[in-house]
Amino acid sequence: MVSGRVKCLLVAVFSLFSCIIFAQDQPGTETKTKKSSFDANEVIFGHVLDAHEFHFFSYKDGDGKEHAAIIPLPVILYSPQKGFSFFMSSRFHEGEENYKGYSLITEEKMKELDVKKYHAGQIVTVNDKGEIDDAAKVIDLSLTRNVVQMIIALALLVWVMLSIAKRYRRGEGVASAPKGTQSLMEPVITFIQDDVAKPNLGHRYHKYLPYLLTIFFFILINSLVGLIPGTANVTGNIAFTMILAVISFIVILFSSNKHYWGHIFNPPVPMAIKPILVLVEFLGIFTKPFALMIRLFANMIAGHIIIICLISLIFIFGALNTVVGWSFSPLSVGFVIFIYFIEILVAFLQAYIFTTLTAVFVGQAFEGSHDDVDHHEDIAIV
């Protein structure tokens, strides 16, 4: 009963939010939108999309001039006409200024540009008049916030694992109970080994355990870091999940044997339905990594959008009426805290699901005899 009421309330809140967003786009509400100076679309997409800086918040000084608390990132560009260019993203001043013949496209500029040719966050070349030069090509090799955050997550993962390995080499936690980070990480590693790798991969689990542990902790760390305000939602980026899915797809293909391919192209079924089943099995080769990609992407981006929507409602209602905005704040903040803790659980859950499905797909690729199946069952029982 309680969960049903909560779902109904959430549906009502987001229905109202959708109506307000739709109303903001109507011609009749142009004056109110300008007056409120709050664009929910810009806030949402500004968070979930990649950028050339870490943006935490904006504020106005005593003169009413707006400033932003950001961490600029290195911009690396190559143009056949200009060669390589290196500078910090702060040179663009939030897209308000051009630098070295380059301009950063912002959401404001997108209102005047062709959405099919350009997108927010894109760096383009401009002429002396400040107009976009379509003839000049530019290749963006910059360290965006998604890239920087993945590097940070990788460095954190390597540092934690190497520090734990160093303690084990010194004999700590071998004859006695593990301490510190050992006591935190060892149960997780043992869980992935005993409940994910062994039941699905059988006696070959040692070969794939390093890969399974890597993707589990890499997804988990990126998801948890992405919950810090101002950071990037890396696991909610379709390019990130696609690369992980492609890597798993390659591992699955290189782990396959003739029994796996024989089952796909010559399934043990009557000839009448064999062509249909062959097509289904062949498509299944590609739907497996596609499912890995979409599942992780959709679940991680959904939570972030929900949190931003709930926070945005405070400012939307506040723009309509100050009293209403303040009155709605406790309810909105309460839901944000609730969803935030759910997102922490989802981070662990999605890392586990991606790792488990990868192990299942790899196990199906090389499983080819009854001995393998019996061995899997024996390990699962143990």
Side-chain angles (χ1 to χ4, degrees):
M1 290 295 292
V2 176
S3 61
R5 292 176 182 176
V6 171
K7 291 180 180 178
C8 291
L9 182 57
L10 284 174
V11 171
V13 169
F14 289 111
S15 297
L16 179 60
F17 179 80
S18 301
C19 292
I20 295 174
I21 294 297
F22 177 76
Q24 285 184 343
D25 295 332
Q26 302 306 308
T29 59
E30 184 177 355
T31 304
K32 292 183 179 180
T33 303
K34 290 182 179 179
K35 182 180 179 181
S36 67
S37 70
F38 180 80
D39 189 348
N41 292 319
E42 183 178 351
V43 174
I44 293 172
F45 287 105
H47 174 76
V48 300
L49 298 180
D50 202 0
H52 288 83
E53 61 194 14
F54 285 96
H55 185 280
F56 296 97
F57 58 89
S58 299
Y59 63 95
K60 292 184 179 180
D61 57 18
D63 299 330
K65 187 177 180 180
E66 187 172 305
H67 300 275
I70 64 171
I71 298 178
L73 298 175
V75 175
I76 306 173
L77 304 174
Y78 174 76
S79 172
Q81 293 80 14
K82 302 178 181 180
F84 283 97
S85 299
F86 305 89
F87 54 92
M88 298 300 291
S89 61
S90 56
R91 294 288 188 175
F92 288 125
H93 295 279
E94 295 287 307
E96 296 180 358
E97 298 181 8
N98 301 332
Y99 185 74
K100 287 187 175 181
Y102 295 105
S103 178
L104 177 66
I105 297 179
T106 61
E107 290 289 346
E108 289 295 326
K109 295 179 181 179
M110 280 300 299
K111 298 176 182 179
E112 304 174 358
L113 298 175
D114 185 359
V115 295
K116 295 182 180 180
K117 296 177 60 177
Y118 308 101
H119 59 83
Q122 180 181 356
I123 297 177
V124 296
T125 56
V126 293
N127 54 29
D128 296 335
K129 298 180 180 180
E131 300 173 345
I132 296 178
D133 186 4
D134 292 325
K137 303 297 181 182
V138 58
I139 300 176
D140 192 351
L141 305 174
S142 306
L143 296 178
T144 61
R145 65 179 180 182
N146 280 349
V147 176
V148 171
Q149 190 161 305
M150 283 190 288
I151 294 175
I152 294 174
L154 180 61
L156 182 61
L157 174 61
V158 172
W159 174 73
V160 170
M161 291 302 177
L162 290 181
S163 62
I164 294 175
K166 186 177 180 180
R167 289 187 177 184
Y168 278 116
R169 284 196 299 267
R170 293 200 302 258
E172 299 179 15
V174 178
S176 59
K179 300 178 180 179
T181 53
Q182 282 180 297
S183 61
L184 178 65
M185 302 296 289
E186 185 174 307
V188 180
I189 296 174
T190 303
F191 173 76
I192 297 298
Q193 174 184 280
D194 295 341
D195 291 354
V196 176
K198 285 184 178 180
N200 296 295
L201 301 173
H203 61 283
R204 302 185 188 182
Y205 79 93
H206 281 293
K207 180 180 179 181
Y208 297 95
L209 185 59
Y211 173 66
L212 296 179
L213 289 174
T214 300
I215 59 174
F216 175 83
F217 284 109
F218 190 58
I219 293 174
L220 178 61
I221 292 175
N222 274 293
S223 299
L224 293 178
V225 173
L227 292 175
I228 301 175
T231 58
N233 180 22
V234 176
T235 49
N237 186 291
I238 191 67
F240 175 84
T241 59
M242 181 185 68
I243 293 301
L244 289 181
V246 168
I247 295 173
S248 294
F249 180 61
I250 294 173
V251 173
I252 292 170
L253 292 182
F254 277 92
S255 303
S256 60
N257 55 22
K258 62 180 181 179
H259 175 80
Y260 174 77
W261 296 106
H263 182 78
I264 292 175
F265 294 104
N266 188 26
V269 295
M271 288 298 298
I273 62 174
K274 182 170 290 190
I276 300 175
L277 192 58
V278 168
L279 178 61
V280 171
E281 291 288 345
F282 179 75
L283 292 176
I285 299 175
F286 304 97
T287 56
K288 291 175 181 177
F290 183 77
L292 290 175
M293 176 183 69
I294 296 299
R295 182 188 297 272
L296 179 59
F297 163 73
N299 281 280
M300 297 312 302
I301 198 173
H304 285 254
I305 291 178
I306 290 175
I307 291 175
I308 299 173
C309 288
L310 287 169
I311 296 175
S312 298
L313 284 174
I314 299 175
F315 300 96
I316 293 174
F317 286 133
L320 299 176
N321 187 287
T322 305
V323 176
V324 175
W326 281 103
S327 300
F328 188 77
S329 297
L331 179 63
S332 181
V333 172
F335 272 116
V336 167
I337 296 174
F338 174 70
I339 298 296
Y340 195 89
F341 281 105
I342 289 181
E343 278 298 290
I344 297 176
L345 174 63
V346 170
F348 283 89
L349 186 61
Q350 291 304 317
Y352 166 73
I353 291 175
F354 193 100
T355 306
T356 300
L357 290 179
T358 299
V360 170
F361 296 153
V362 172
Q364 291 174 347
F366 65 68
E367 187 177 61
S369 64
H370 294 291
D371 294 335
D372 289 336
V373 176
D374 294 339
H375 194 79
H376 287 195
E377 293 177 351
D378 292 341
I379 292 179
I381 294 174
V382 173

